[in-house]
Amino acid sequence: MALQQIIQHPTGTYSQYWKIRSVTLNHTEGTGSITIDGYVSQQAREDGKIPLDNRTVAVSDYATWFAPTVIDVAGMNEVKAGYLFLKSISGGEFQGSTDV
């Protein structure tokens, strides 16, 4: 899974294929972060090209998206929850993005 969202990099180039690189969670403190890499295309990522861009987003609602009771639901894991969380951020860069 990945997200399709066209976002311009400060250099003027565009990334449109976004893949989560890492989800880091602190279950004791209920905090975490998600790092997502942006590529020019899915093919570029599959070809082993380096990402054009990346974002690190702080987990703002751990209990809703990443608590063990949420992750234990059939078919849910930290990465899938990470994509759903990124898309849910009101006014965020990935709101309205498409799953690919």
Side-chain angles (χ1 to χ4, degrees):
M1 182 175 181
L3 298 178
Q4 184 171 355
Q5 181 77 347
I6 298 172
I7 298 175
Q8 187 175 29
H9 185 268
T11 64
T13 61
Y14 292 89
S15 296
Q16 68 173 340
Y17 183 83
W18 294 85
K19 187 83 173 162
I20 287 180
R21 178 185 344 148
S22 65
V23 177
T24 305
L25 300 172
N26 181 321
H27 293 287
T28 302
E29 295 180 12
T31 60
S33 64
I34 300 166
T35 301
I36 188 165
D37 292 330
Y39 298 85
V40 68
S41 66
Q42 180 176 352
Q43 189 64 52
R45 189 198 67 78
E46 291 173 357
D47 289 346
K49 305 297 183 193
I50 62 170
L52 293 174
D53 202 354
N54 67 56
R55 303 284 192 274
T56 299
V57 179
V59 170
S60 58
D61 192 357
Y62 171 87
T64 300
W65 299 99
F66 300 99
T69 54
V70 175
I71 297 301
D72 287 342
V73 176
M76 186 58 68
N77 60 53
E78 288 87 353
V79 175
K80 188 180 284 189
Y83 286 116
L84 294 171
F85 170 73
L86 290 169
K87 291 172 53 173
S88 78
I89 300 171
S90 180
E93 289 182 302
F94 298 100
Q95 185 178 25
S97 61
T98 305
D99 295 338
V100 291

